[in-house]
Amino acid sequence: MALNRARIAVDAMGGDYAPDEIVAGALQAQDELGAEVLLVGDPAAIEASLQRHDRSSDEVQIIASEGAVEMHEEALTGIKRKPNASINVAMNLVKQGEADGVVSAGHSGASMASALLRLGRLAGIDRPAIGAVFPTMNPNKSVLLLDVGAIVDCRPKFLEQFALLGTVYSQYVLGRDEPRVGLLNIGEEACKGNELALRTYELLQNNPRIPFVGNAEGRDVLSGDFDVIVCDGFVGNVLLKFAEAVGNILLQLCQDELLQGLDERDLDHVMPNLKRLKQRIDYVEHGGGLLLGVAGVCVIGHGSSHAMTIFNAVRLAKEAVDNRVIERIQEKHLVEQ
Amino acid sequence: MALNRARIAVDAMGGDYAPDEIVAGALQAQDELGAEVLLVGDPAAIEASLQRHDRSSDEVQIIASEGAVEMHEEALTGIKRKPNASINVAMNLVKQGEADGVVSAGHSGASMASALLRLGRLAGIDRPAIGAVFPTMNPNKSVLLLDVGAIVDCRPKFLEQFALLGTVYSQYVLGRDEPRVGLLNIGEEACKGNELALRTYELLQNNPRIPFVGNAEGRDVLSGDFDVIVCDGFVGNVLLKFAEAVGNILLQLCQDELLQGLDERDLDHVMPNLKRLKQRIDYVEHGGGLLLGVAGVCVIGHGSSHAMTIFNAVRLAKEAVDNRVIERIQEKHLVEQ
């Protein structure tokens, strides 16, 4: 465990609600999680935001950057054209050892590109993956799905590497001694699937360092039977966004249908339950995705992140730092070289 | 509209709960929907099942078949090795004009293979697709997702054909004059996606017979903004099974969380609402998938179909027959030949 407080560089300029929601979530994380937050962005904008939150610039470190990669920009071009953009400055802090991790809700392609260029890939990893932690039916168990959008045309060996990354993450961050690793597929049997799944199945089955237990169908993702599920970034991204939306839709349906005709006394009894239900199924509260496979901790949040999401993203980054997930992956010499 | 009652051949031997649940659902459909049901299977097994339901064999037509393709069998091999299997006999009824459509909850690969071999593909269609109708946030609007499992390694032109099939289905069965067709993808912009999505986008955009409105992200599937969404069968299958499971999981969560600490009076008020909610989100009630692109109406149900699912599957088949969806597709000369 880290002897010092984890230092998390937060990209204050990234995201639809930057800087106000980002600053609010980052401060809350610093207050409540014991992380040290470094706000990266335009100092004037950050200070104005701090004032709006009745906070002082003495309470948090501000690291100056110039501009940000905009959503409409091509990721790599933006990263290169703006070397002092907030995401680049944040990554540099990690590279220079001045921060232990980065959180950004900005252009996710740009975050990935910046991480790859500035931090580099871990040995034995061809492509990084974004891992998303989903709640499952089992309140005490979550599942890591990866990749959810980094690499949309995967080769079997990429998925094999994702499985190795996921295994270590699950062991050291999610605390699963013997994680159950699955391959997202359209059937349970080894003979099922598309070309990618069929070839990946073989690799996973023959790799002694992967605790592979077989195929996971769509219905198994939230069952709690798997700790890690690998898939290509196209499928994972569609699934992640569907899952987020369906949570919200079902909460809406609950409100529409369940509260009909209830009187005040009923509502007094039901509303606290509805609120608890909301907390359990609201994916937004579960933070962002961890970029696994680069040489540093990097959490990629939604563009639409509000303060609570940023708070959870900082927590995710802090957990990865405290549990030394990057070092663990390196120690494991994950992939034969 | 058909002047005669739609005649639906139901594979009484297919599915985890065959024949009892199949027979029950088929009879209910005949009773309530005004469809004429032909139960295909082992006559003794069907008659025993009818007895268990306190029904007589005078009430329904029974068509004798021998055996069924088992779940563990390879689809094409099973179809060929057992020419008189229930699914083959059911398809033959359609081919010979003695039935207007088929419903089976048996081996879905076998159903597809039997349909392709016996009914053949429609002109201009290289591969059939299974279409699944999802409820959306808008109670009056559903969305057709295809393919949900027929073809797991698609080429762009297959998805283009799926879009054409979906357009006609949406127009004539779901009653959308100007259906909004989307491509399942990881972002809204035309430049987003994997190789397949990028190339398909171009085809869809340049085909004047497809009312293509752009990319649909995972979050858009249930929004009601799209009438038809095309994707390859791998992604579609994962999404379908995830959606089915998530409905059940959330209902379970609702029951776990929402009813806590409620007294009898509260429960009296809340339970009818919960039941209504259940009906809205229970995908199982929405029946099976329609196999589009073959020269006949064929509904592929879940292996785990209970009577209510079979009832809805027969309804789906009947709607396709009544709305002459196969003829409409043929009339449209869908794809240049």
Side-chain angles (χ1 to χ4, degrees):
Chain A
M1 302 300 126
L3 289 173
N4 301 311
R5 291 198 302 167
R7 300 159 302 168
I8 310 299
V10 176
D11 174 3
M13 311 314 282
D16 303 344
Y17 307 108
D20 276 11
E21 291 287 319
I22 315 297
V23 167
L27 284 174
Q28 191 194 343
Q30 178 165 283
D31 294 345
E32 298 178 21
L33 302 175
E36 189 180 326
V37 162
L38 295 84
L39 288 175
V40 182
D42 173 33
I46 293 174
E47 283 183 26
S49 178
L50 286 168
Q51 278 194 349
R52 282 191 292 275
H53 292 107
D54 288 321
R55 304 288 291 247
S56 137
S57 54
D58 298 339
E59 300 177 55
V60 61
Q61 281 196 63
I62 298 174
I63 311 290
S65 67
E66 288 165 31
V69 181
E70 305 292 335
M71 285 305 198
H72 60 82
E73 289 185 85
E74 200 278 316
L76 201 59
T77 315
I79 286 302
K80 290 188 170 170
R81 230 168 41 88
K82 299 177 178 173
N84 299 318
S86 52
I87 187 66
N88 282 331
V89 171
M91 291 295 171
N92 283 340
L93 290 172
V94 174
K95 189 179 182 186
Q96 292 151 5
E98 290 162 35
D100 302 306
V102 169
V103 165
S104 176
H107 191 309
S108 59
S111 299
M112 205 168 80
S114 183
L116 279 169
L117 282 179
R118 284 176 168 68
L119 308 179
R121 285 171 299 177
L122 290 174
I125 300 295
D126 288 297
R127 297 283 187 283
I130 302 173
V133 178
F134 285 65
T136 73
M137 282 197 78
N138 180 339
N140 304 312
K141 210 172 169 189
S142 48
V143 59
L144 176 71
L145 185 76
L146 76 172
D147 170 43
V148 297
I151 309 296
V152 293
D153 281 300
C154 282
R155 285 192 257 161
K157 74 167 176 173
F158 300 168
L159 293 189
E160 183 187 19
Q161 294 166 7
F162 297 170
L164 288 163
L165 292 168
T167 299
V168 176
Y169 185 82
S170 183
Q171 286 172 328
Y172 294 104
V173 179
L174 303 177
R176 303 273 155 221
D177 289 343
E178 297 182 31
R180 294 169 57 85
V181 176
L183 170 66
L184 192 63
N185 207 333
I186 61 163
E188 283 177 26
E189 305 84 354
C191 63
K192 288 288 180 73
N194 56 10
E195 194 63 31
L196 175 64
L198 290 171
R199 289 172 55 205
T200 303
Y201 190 99
E202 269 188 51
L203 292 181
L204 296 182
Q205 198 172 30
N206 293 322
N207 189 325
R209 286 172 300 167
I210 299 173
F212 179 57
V213 296
N215 288 330
E217 296 185 71
R219 68 170 64 95
D220 302 318
V221 174
L222 304 183
S223 68
D225 292 343
F226 293 87
D227 298 295
V228 178
I229 296 177
V230 294
C231 60
D232 81 82
F234 189 91
V235 184
N237 185 273
V238 165
L239 203 57
L240 175 68
K241 288 177 179 165
F242 182 84
E244 287 167 348
V246 93
N248 290 329
I249 288 170
L250 284 151
L251 282 173
Q252 189 59 51
L253 280 181
C254 278
Q255 275 170 357
D256 289 353
E257 299 287 357
L258 283 173
L259 305 182
Q260 275 185 32
L262 301 191
D263 59 29
E264 213 158 306
R265 178 180 173 284
D266 296 325
L267 286 176
D268 277 350
H269 292 186
V270 169
M271 286 310 283
N273 291 353
L274 191 61
K275 200 172 162 194
R276 209 171 48 247
L277 177 71
K278 188 169 151 53
Q279 279 170 350
R280 261 184 87 177
I281 67 180
D282 194 352
Y283 289 85
V284 176
E285 293 198 5
H286 289 82
L290 194 70
L291 185 65
L292 286 165
V294 295
V297 168
C298 176
V299 172
I300 295 185
H302 275 275
S304 60
S305 290
H306 284 276
M308 180 53 76
T309 324
I310 296 297
F311 171 84
N312 282 308
V314 174
R315 176 161 59 193
L316 197 63
K318 180 184 182 297
E319 283 171 0
V321 171
D322 289 348
N323 292 293
R324 300 176 50 242
V325 70
I326 306 297
E327 291 86 339
R328 303 283 196 187
I329 292 170
Q330 282 175 324
E331 282 161 18
K332 290 266 169 183
H333 293 293
L334 274 177
V335 178
E336 280 115 44
Q337 289 154 54
Chain B
M1 301 299 126
L3 289 173
N4 301 310
R5 290 200 302 168
R7 299 160 302 169
I8 310 299
V10 176
D11 174 3
M13 311 315 281
D16 303 343
Y17 307 108
D20 276 12
E21 290 287 320
I22 314 297
V23 167
L27 283 174
Q28 191 193 342
Q30 180 165 281
D31 294 345
E32 297 178 19
L33 301 176
E36 188 180 328
V37 162
L38 296 83
L39 288 175
V40 182
D42 172 34
I46 292 175
E47 283 182 23
S49 178
L50 286 168
Q51 279 194 349
R52 283 191 291 275
H53 291 110
D54 288 322
R55 303 288 291 248
S56 137
S57 54
D58 298 339
E59 299 177 54
V60 62
Q61 281 196 63
I62 298 174
I63 311 290
S65 66
E66 288 165 31
V69 181
E70 306 291 336
M71 284 306 199
H72 60 81
E73 289 185 86
E74 200 277 315
L76 201 58
T77 315
I79 286 303
K80 290 190 170 169
R81 230 167 43 86
K82 299 178 178 173
N84 298 319
S86 52
I87 186 68
N88 282 332
V89 172
M91 290 294 171
N92 283 340
L93 289 173
V94 173
K95 191 180 181 182
Q96 291 152 6
E98 290 163 34
D100 301 306
V102 169
V103 165
S104 177
H107 191 309
S108 59
S111 300
M112 206 168 81
S114 184
L116 280 169
L117 282 180
R118 282 172 170 69
L119 308 179
R121 285 170 298 177
L122 290 173
I125 299 296
D126 288 295
R127 297 285 186 286
I130 303 174
V133 178
F134 285 67
T136 74
M137 281 196 78
N138 180 339
N140 304 313
K141 209 170 170 191
S142 49
V143 59
L144 177 71
L145 185 75
L146 75 171
D147 171 42
V148 298
I151 309 296
V152 294
D153 281 300
C154 282
R155 285 192 257 160
K157 73 167 176 174
F158 300 168
L159 293 189
E160 183 187 17
Q161 293 166 10
F162 297 170
L164 288 163
L165 292 168
T167 299
V168 175
Y169 184 82
S170 183
Q171 285 172 328
Y172 294 104
V173 180
L174 302 178
R176 303 272 155 224
D177 289 342
E178 297 183 31
R180 293 169 58 84
V181 176
L183 171 66
L184 192 63
N185 207 334
I186 61 163
E188 285 177 26
E189 305 84 352
C191 64
K192 288 289 179 74
N194 57 11
E195 195 63 31
L196 175 64
L198 290 170
R199 289 172 54 206
T200 303
Y201 190 100
E202 267 189 54
L203 291 182
L204 297 181
Q205 198 172 31
N206 293 323
N207 189 324
R209 286 172 299 167
I210 300 173
F212 180 57
V213 296
N215 288 329
E217 296 185 71
R219 68 170 64 96
D220 302 317
V221 174
L222 305 183
S223 68
D225 292 343
F226 293 87
D227 299 294
V228 178
I229 296 177
V230 294
C231 60
D232 81 83
F234 189 91
V235 184
N237 185 274
V238 166
L239 204 57
L240 174 69
K241 289 177 177 164
F242 183 84
E244 288 167 349
V246 94
N248 290 328
I249 288 171
L250 284 152
L251 281 172
Q252 188 58 50
L253 280 181
C254 277
Q255 274 169 358
D256 289 354
E257 299 288 355
L258 282 173
L259 306 182
Q260 274 185 34
L262 300 191
D263 59 29
E264 214 159 305
R265 178 180 173 284
D266 295 326
L267 287 176
D268 279 349
H269 292 188
V270 170
M271 287 310 283
N273 291 352
L274 190 60
K275 201 172 162 194
R276 208 172 48 247
L277 177 70
K278 188 168 152 52
Q279 280 169 350
R280 261 185 87 176
I281 68 180
D282 194 351
Y283 288 86
V284 177
E285 294 197 5
H286 289 84
L290 195 71
L291 185 64
L292 287 165
V294 294
V297 168
C298 176
V299 173
I300 295 186
H302 275 275
S304 61
S305 289
H306 285 277
M308 179 52 76
T309 324
I310 297 297
F311 172 83
N312 282 308
V314 174
R315 176 161 60 192
L316 198 61
K318 180 183 183 298
E319 282 171 0
V321 170
D322 288 349
N323 292 294
R324 300 177 48 242
V325 69
I326 307 297
E327 292 86 339
R328 302 285 195 186
I329 292 171
Q330 283 175 323
E331 282 163 18
K332 289 268 168 182
H333 292 293
L334 272 178
V335 176
E336 281 117 44
Q337 288 157 54

